[in-house]
Amino acid sequence: MSGVEVGIGRKVWASPLHAVMAPVPAALLLILVTCLLRLAFGWALGLGVDESYMVAAGRQWRLGYFDHPPLAWWLTWGTEQIFGAGASPVLLRLPFILLFAVSTWLLIRLTTRLFDAEAAFWTAVLFNLAPVFGVASGGWVLPDGPLDAALLAAALALVRAWEDGRARWWLASGAAAGLALDAKYSAVLTLTGAAFFLATTAPGRAALRRWPVYAALALALLVFSPVLLWNAAHGWASFAFQGGRALGGVWHPLAPLTVLGGEALFLLPWIWLPLLVCAAGAARRGPREWRGWLLLALAAPPILLFAAVALWARQKVLFHWVAPGYLFLLPLLGRAVARRLRAGERGVRVWLALSAGVMLIGLTLVGSEVRFDWLPHVFPALERGADPDLQAVDWTSLRDDLAQRRLLGPPPPVIAVLRWQDAGKLDYALAGAARVICLGPDPRQYGINGATTAAAGTDVLIVAPGMDLARIEAQIGADFATITPLAPLVLRHAGRAAAAIPLFLGKSYHAAPRAR
């Protein structure tokens, strides 16, 4: 039927989607095509700074880690157990790409449950078009991908529990909530929103008087307990690190606007603004329209809290921290898009096509540049060392350089860096061929893995990007008998010498006591 469809007791205009295929097969095709695109993009890019650090510092399996809860770290550890240390970036990203496919399906199920299948399809499209989801959470080795999947599973189970009250759905929601906490501590904000939803609706208050809700809470804490045990054994180091980011410093009255502007860029401004409009509509309708109220309750805590924290926090609020909030506004926008398409609004089609075009062009430009390094041929003025995308280039050329100079043993040497970011890049590239330690003031996981203490009494190679002997002596000279410059290493990008990395030899490391 090309004109109308028969609804339940009414006529509705058919969406253009029906002219091609039904929403469910279209959603499966969307998942397949976007998975293939992410695999290509994951092949084109080396591991970023955070990705390299998570892979390398997570090679020792632990119940918890300094920066984040362990779920994403466990995924990288398991991947290297299968494919070996130093596995290619695309293989290390594979679990996260597949997990995003699961997240897309969970989002489709959730939106179908709340609204309808067409709204679900367009919600999935928007999920893939927003860079903070479709690129970062969708294919990079970060905690955000597991977080999104667990939160969506918890929300879907919560809706099922709300509808039929069965204990199994409450328990499923609790288990998924525990996994969300195992992925990232900020999950507690979304879970607080779920509690707010229950407390502000009559059926929710009735549910709060029944045991399944509290059994679900207990199950969530049980799933989260490995993180609690690890923190208790390590002086609550991870909680202190993450909580310290919100501590007060100088008052920044305009910082919330900066945070909102950054979120708009990460989502694409023309997607971000309609999301806020949909949120305002849900707030105006209030609890009487429980579906929108639920999504708003889940979305609001991270959006509002991180904007408020930016007012006083010493550290800048990173824009992707707020992403789970916008995740739960996507179904509202997906419903609005489906309605407007059914109404025949051409502008929405153009809006979607332009969004897809921006995403595809951006991925093509970035992926091809990182893989093939064509930018210097277009802009010859780019000097050596000014390569704008070196963070996405693996340091495997440094490993080759060290091996050619017979500096990788046997036995495996100890190599020191002064920043955790460099430790991750180098440690991933060396793939176990050396013991990497971090002697800077912020070593993160490298400060508690025991390698620095074990290096006492040895000679140490020092890899120090952007530093000279005077700065090295000033920072860590007291830790060594002598420090001697060596010929620098060469970092290559697609075969081209892109940067010279200073290299030093520190004799007899002894870790002089001093405040770091």
Side-chain angles (χ1 to χ4, degrees), residues 56 59 80 84-86 399 408 411-413 426-436:
R59 284 185 178 136
E80 284 208 326
R399 179 190 63 200
L408 289 183
L426 185 63
D427 202 358
Y428 166 67
L430 293 175
R435 289 182 292 158
V436 175

Side-chain angles (χ1 to χ4, degrees), residues 475-500:
Q475 290 198 31
I476 60 173
D479 291 345
F480 297 91
T482 61
I483 297 179
T484 306
L486 302 177
L489 302 169
V490 178
L491 178 60
R492 297 185 179 277
H493 181 190
R496 179 183 68 91

Side-chain angles (χ1 to χ4, degrees), residues 377-391:
H377 301 289
V378 180
F379 301 101
L382 282 176
E383 299 177 358
R384 184 182 182 188
D387 196 325
D389 50 358
L390 279 183
Q391 285 194 354

Side-chain angles (χ1 to χ4, degrees), residues 100-125:
F100 189 80
V102 172
S103 296
T104 305
W105 184 247
L106 288 170
L107 185 59
I108 289 170
R109 292 287 306 277
L110 175 65
T111 310
T112 302
R113 197 103 200 155
L114 293 174
F115 303 123
D116 57 54
E118 286 188 49
F121 173 79
W122 295 115
T123 298
V125 169

